[in-house]
Amino acid sequence: MTGSVEPPQFRLAYVPGVTPSKWVRIWNERLPDIPLTLLQLSVAEARDALRDGAADAGLVRLPVDRTVLSAIPLYEESTVVVVPKDHVVAAVDEVTTEDLADEIVLHPLDDVLEWPRLPGQPAFERPATTEDAVELVAAGIGVLVVPQSLARLHHRKDLTYRPVTDAPVSSVALSWPQDATTDMVEDFIGIVRGRTVNSTRGRPAAQDKAEPKKQPKRPDAAGGRRKPPAAKKTQGARRGKPRRRS
């Protein structure tokens, strides 16, 4: 007795701050017979899920291990500093890392920014998560530098944020295992790249089914196109003297 075949499904991991709803909606419109399952994971968990095969693709933050994962960069985020609304930074439009030199800058363990040198003064200890760090900012312990989407995700009415012009930025990418570039992965790549439903996805099958190009008409031996034969003249149109009636 053979086992039942599991129906196809597409598992998409995504990290905090990334909003996949637009692409999920398009998937459901184009591929209603293939359910898309969303997996909200931390940055480290999403990378592990892709390597272990627990997710078919993921919307992740770069960098990723390019020896096992493929990645298509999608966009870069602005970096902001989260501060209390009554903080001096809230009075300006933007700041630099030098402006934060005297501030205690919280550095959570799940920080997604690649810092060549951390700005400001270090805190006594590192918060476990970005969410914990936001709570410390609200308590007046320090400030927090994060991608703008994370500042929005953990928004509080008593906090605000301002752009940091010279801070590192976070890049979001679509990633998937190199050895598992399935048809469903190709479908999702087409969606995030904005391809229409009728556009080719680069599959061999799709290319083989392409309509062959029409061949141009061959010219005649003289090198030009053949002229249509001249129409025969009707009897009434023949030249000559009219016959006399007897």
Side-chain angles (χ1 to χ4, degrees), residues 16 20 23 27 38 42 46 50 55 59 75 78-79 101 106 117 121 127 138-139 145 158 163 177 188 208 225 233 238:
W23 298 316
W27 175 280
L38 288 173
S42 69
L50 292 174
L59 297 168
Y75 59 88
S78 299
T79 302
L106 301 167
R117 185 176 65 87
Q121 304 297 318
V145 181
D158 53 347
F188 198 77
D208 293 342
R225 294 187 180 275
K233 297 179 180 179
R238 293 177 182 173

Side-chain angles (χ1 to χ4, degrees), residues 86-108:
D86 58 356
H87 194 281
V88 63
V89 167
V92 298
D93 293 331
E94 60 186 26
V95 297
T96 65
T97 52
E98 185 63 29
D99 295 327
L100 305 176
D102 296 330
E103 301 286 343
I104 294 177
V105 179
L106 301 167
H107 187 214

Side-chain angles (χ1 to χ4, degrees), residues 15-178:
V15 297
V18 175
T19 306
S21 55
K22 173 185 175 181
W23 298 316
V24 172
R25 175 181 55 79
I26 297 174
W27 175 280
N28 291 334
E29 291 173 354
R30 295 185 184 179
L31 301 163
D33 297 332
I34 303 179
L36 188 153
T37 302
L38 288 173
L39 308 172
Q40 185 173 9
L41 304 171
S42 69
V43 172
E45 290 171 342
R47 293 169 182 166
D48 291 341
L50 292 174
R51 283 194 296 261
D52 300 340
D56 299 299
L59 297 168
V60 300
R61 295 186 184 276
L62 296 177
V64 296
D65 185 356
R66 293 299 186 103
T67 63
V68 294
L69 299 177
S70 296
I72 299 174
L74 300 178
Y75 59 88
E76 288 185 343
E77 285 196 59
S78 299
T79 302
V80 301
V81 57
V82 181
V83 298
K85 280 191 171 180
D86 58 356
H87 194 281
V88 63
V89 167
V92 298
D93 293 331
E94 60 186 26
V95 297
T96 65
T97 52
E98 185 63 29
D99 295 327
L100 305 176
D102 296 330
E103 301 286 343
I104 294 177
V105 179
L106 301 167
H107 187 214
L109 295 175
D110 64 353
D111 184 20
V112 298
L113 299 174
E114 298 288 327
W115 290 101
R117 185 176 65 87
L118 290 171
Q121 304 297 318
F124 179 71
E125 60 181 357
R126 296 182 66 181
T129 66
T130 298
E131 185 175 7
D132 293 337
V134 171
E135 294 296 326
L136 293 176
V137 173
I141 303 301
V143 301
L144 174 65
V145 181
V146 290
Q148 184 171 326
S149 66
L150 292 180
R152 290 175 175 172
L153 178 65
H154 300 293
H155 173 70
R156 290 174 52 114
K157 292 182 178 179
D158 53 347
L159 300 180
T160 188
Y161 57 83
R162 295 291 184 270
V164 184
T165 58
D166 59 345
V169 297
S170 176
S171 297
V172 174
L174 173 64
S175 183
W176 67 94
Q178 290 182 3

Side-chain angles (χ1 to χ4, degrees), residues 235-245:
Q235 187 172 357
R238 293 177 182 173
R239 295 182 179 181
K241 296 181 180 180
R243 295 180 181 180
R244 296 181 180 178
R245 292 183 181 178

